[in-house]
Amino acid sequence: MVKQKIKLPKVSLKNNGKVGFSIYLPMDGQKYQDRFRDRRISQPMSAMLFADGVGTNDIFGFKSFEFISNPLGLRLGLSDMTITDHTIEIMKGVVWDYEKYPQALISGDTGSGKSFFLFSLLNGLIKSGAIVDVADPKETDLSVLGKTASLKYRVTYGRDRILKSFYRFYLEMIKRGREYHDLLNDNLEENVGNYRKYGLKPHFFVFDEFGAFVSGLKYNESEAIQQILGQITMLGRQLGYFVAIAMQKPTADTIGSASRDQFQFRVALGKMKSSGLSMMFPDDVDEVQFKELSKNLKGWGYLAMTPGQARSFFAPVIPKDFVPFKYFDELGQQYPAIPVEPMGEIKEFLDSKSAKYVELNF
């Protein structure tokens, strides 16, 4: 009997502290290399090691797989979030750069902690210096913020008011596009930059319960909203116009495929059915082991910054004594709301420039 010598690949493990570790698989041209290159290998490793895969990296001679064994240990408090002029730290080591990963899609059923996550997001956006508009179709948690100093006159509720507010946001983007074009023509010898190079502020529209709102519109209104959303998601990045769309259950009927592909920051809060996960993370359904992270805590889920892999996530903790109106009113002392520009003046400017835009009559 001839004994066969089997040569196994050399695998390395690096401890990354109390919350996770990395596994390094060799890229040395041997027979295991093709299997190691496939990131789907992280799913059986996650099950075997009781950890969540959070991404891969290509290093000279190796492919590393990153794992988190205690995602709760990375949770931040509302006051612990590190914020710059275009980045928001939403968990330790997880930073959303909204210029690099523009347009946010957020899902979560009632009781998942979606509203608290939106408070954290608004906190980050306002502190980053962005102009923020908010739509609250159900007139619940966000509607009272329109009277605070940081969001004064920029929170709308009610069908007609929301339609007008979202349409004005779109027209403001078209106006900035014309202004941006003029700035480029006036600076032909300079390198082309985005909106920030010319001293322009980022502008966000945070739209809660988008699915419920769209389902209550007339057909022509729904079509117009989808057309407007498509233009914002495709053109807004360079101009500094962004949306954060939140809903309970994402479906193909509420956001068209053309727009949906433009959302590069995605957060799914709470337990979600496979159909919902397929809409939120279409590339990760067969590769990531989505599991319930907590039975008692709110604000847990999964996030992805495309084309990165979906990973486990805990939203920033909101203090028990948190009063939204008081907090955002005090925030406005340092970050006051920018006055709303009348729609008539915006249209007058666009018409003077012969600009093309979607017509929406109310």
Side-chain angles (χ1 to χ4, degrees):
M1 181 177 179
V2 179
K3 292 184 178 180
Q4 184 179 6
K5 186 176 181 180
I6 300 176
K7 185 178 180 181
L8 297 175
K10 184 178 180 180
V11 176
S12 303
L13 185 146
K14 178 185 177 183
N15 187 1
N16 296 329
K18 296 181 180 180
V19 294
F21 54 89
S22 302
I23 292 180
Y24 295 84
L25 304 181
M27 295 287 107
D28 53 6
Q30 300 300 315
K31 64 178 181 178
Y32 294 99
Q33 179 168 308
D34 288 341
R35 291 179 62 187
F36 290 165
R37 189 182 288 118
D38 189 344
R39 72 176 190 174
R40 286 178 295 182
I41 197 174
S42 67
Q43 185 170 0
M45 286 196 292
S46 293
M48 179 178 65
L49 299 168
F50 299 99
D52 295 315
V54 295
T56 63
N57 290 301
D58 292 312
I59 305 170
F60 182 75
F62 293 91
K63 190 173 188 71
S64 72
F65 291 79
E66 312 298 325
F67 294 89
I68 294 294
S69 54
N70 179 25
L72 184 58
L74 299 175
R75 195 172 200 179
L76 293 171
L78 187 66
S79 60
D80 300 323
M81 299 167 65
T82 301
I83 300 158
T84 73
D85 58 5
H86 60 96
T87 66
I88 303 171
E89 185 184 28
I90 54 177
M91 194 167 83
K92 289 180 184 177
V94 180
V95 178
W96 177 33
D97 183 335
Y98 56 71
E99 291 182 352
K100 186 176 181 181
Y101 303 102
Q103 321 309 351
L105 182 60
I106 303 154
S107 67
D109 268 330
T110 302
S112 65
K114 177 166 62 71
S115 295
F116 282 167
F117 177 65
L118 289 178
F119 285 138
S120 300
L121 199 63
L122 288 172
N123 171 65
L125 293 175
I126 292 170
K127 287 182 177 178
S128 76
I131 303 169
V132 182
D133 288 306
V134 180
D136 183 6
K138 292 190 175 181
E139 300 182 41
T140 52
D141 302 307
L142 303 177
S143 61
V144 299
L145 302 183
K147 296 180 180 179
T148 65
S150 61
L151 290 166
K152 194 171 185 179
Y153 304 128
R154 288 198 168 272
V155 180
T156 51
Y157 49 88
R159 176 185 171 281
D160 291 345
R161 290 179 180 177
I162 290 175
L163 280 172
K164 290 179 180 178
S165 178
F166 192 55
Y167 187 51
R168 182 180 60 245
F169 177 79
Y170 160 73
L171 292 178
E172 287 177 334
M173 184 195 74
I174 300 298
K175 178 185 176 184
R176 179 174 287 189
R178 297 302 304 178
E179 294 171 337
Y180 184 76
H181 180 266
D182 293 341
L183 286 168
L184 291 178
N185 284 332
D186 292 340
N187 299 275
L188 293 175
E189 296 182 0
E190 295 184 11
N191 293 329
V192 176
N194 68 4
Y195 67 97
R196 195 177 296 280
K197 178 179 179 179
Y198 302 103
L200 302 172
K201 283 181 171 289
H203 195 162
F204 267 83
F205 198 101
V206 178
F207 206 137
D208 194 16
E209 299 296 350
F210 181 80
F213 178 77
V214 171
S215 65
L217 296 177
K218 298 176 182 177
Y219 177 79
N220 62 322
E221 293 170 336
S222 178
E223 287 293 299
I225 288 295
Q226 294 294 347
Q227 187 178 359
I228 288 171
L229 180 62
Q231 290 196 26
I232 293 171
T233 55
M234 286 187 282
L235 303 176
R237 179 180 189 172
Q238 186 75 8
L239 301 173
Y241 273 71
F242 309 95
V243 290
I245 301 293
M247 64 183 73
Q248 291 191 19
K249 297 177 182 178
T251 66
D253 296 330
T254 50
I255 299 181
S257 58
S259 298
R260 191 165 61 247
D261 293 342
Q262 302 299 321
F263 287 88
Q264 296 187 30
F265 177 63
R266 299 173 179 228
V267 176
L269 293 160
K271 195 171 183 179
M272 187 171 289
K273 294 181 179 179
S274 58
S275 57
L277 291 171
S278 297
M279 291 290 294
M280 293 296 293
F281 312 112
D283 297 329
D284 295 317
V285 172
D286 298 326
E287 301 177 18
V288 176
Q289 187 180 22
F290 294 98
K291 59 186 179 182
E292 190 173 2
L293 300 178
S294 175
K295 293 185 179 297
N296 303 315
L297 298 175
K298 293 183 179 181
W300 64 266
Y302 286 82
L303 68 80
M305 287 177 262
T306 57
Q309 179 178 313
R311 58 165 296 167
S312 54
F313 165 71
F314 277 90
V317 177
I318 301 295
K320 290 184 178 180
D321 59 351
F322 179 75
V323 180
F325 182 89
K326 180 181 178 182
Y327 182 86
F328 285 97
D329 195 48
E330 291 177 352
L331 192 62
Q333 305 307 312
Q334 186 175 356
Y335 305 96
I338 303 296
V340 177
E341 186 175 4
M343 191 183 300
E345 294 182 9
I346 301 172
K347 280 192 169 185
E348 185 177 343
F349 172 86
L350 293 177
D351 292 339
S352 71
K353 296 286 186 177
S354 300
K356 294 182 179 180
Y357 56 89
V358 176
E359 290 281 0
L360 185 58
N361 298 315
F362 302 96

